[in-house]
Amino acid sequence: QVQLVESGGGLVQPGGSLRLSCAASGSIFTIYAMRWYRQAPGKQRALVATITRDGSTYYVDFVKGRFTISRDNAKNTVYLQMNSLKPEDTAVYYCNLDIHTSAAPVTAAYWGQGTQVTVSS
């Protein structure tokens, strides 16, 4: 059994910053790629950033230079530092982790519960 708990969302003014966290717990053997997605009202869920186990990162164009994804393998946690936030960044943000559990010899994708980020003056 694996649980993902997200935190750090909230209301922020344009130009402000937030730091999201997603902590995994349970029967975890290894966590491979970690990702952040977001879903704005009326839109499909979209990938924002990815970090591999060795720390390589990927960002979609609309967050490059503003968002930073990082991870702490010892804590099974992924972070998303969001700076220079814009109203169009308003969305529910979800973490997505590729986890190999100790209970089964397969890697599966797990989702966090989502955290609301609202950018408004």
Side-chain angles (χ1 to χ4, degrees):
Q1 195 78 323
V2 174
Q3 287 189 325
L4 273 58
V5 178
E6 297 186 35
S7 61
L11 173 64
V12 64
Q13 292 187 341
S17 298
L18 284 174
R19 189 192 194 207
L20 306 183
S21 300
C22 172
S25 62
S27 303
I28 297 169
F29 183 70
T30 304
I31 301 178
Y32 295 102
M34 295 174 152
R35 307 173 189 87
W36 286 98
Y37 285 76
R38 72 186 188 188
Q39 186 166 19
K43 295 188 177 181
Q44 290 188 329
R45 193 172 298 187
L47 178 66
V48 173
T50 301
I51 185 167
T52 63
R53 180 161 179 80
D54 65 0
S56 298
T57 57
Y58 163 81
Y59 300 92
V60 294
D61 286 345
F62 52 78
V63 305
K64 281 183 181 177
R66 300 189 298 124
F67 291 10
T68 301
I69 189 171
S70 60
R71 63 190 288 167
D72 185 333
N73 291 332
K75 295 181 179 180
N76 291 332
T77 300
V78 60
Y79 306 95
L80 186 67
Q81 177 67 43
M82 305 185 293
N83 299 328
S84 302
L85 282 162
K86 305 175 181 180
E88 51 265 43
D89 294 318
T90 296
V92 178
Y93 284 71
Y94 298 90
C95 59
N96 171 265
L97 278 57
D98 292 340
I99 299 176
H100 183 167
T101 67
S102 55
V106 295
T107 298
Y110 292 81
W111 289 91
Q113 82 279 13
T115 185
Q116 176 69 47
V117 171
T118 302
V119 184
S120 176
S121 55

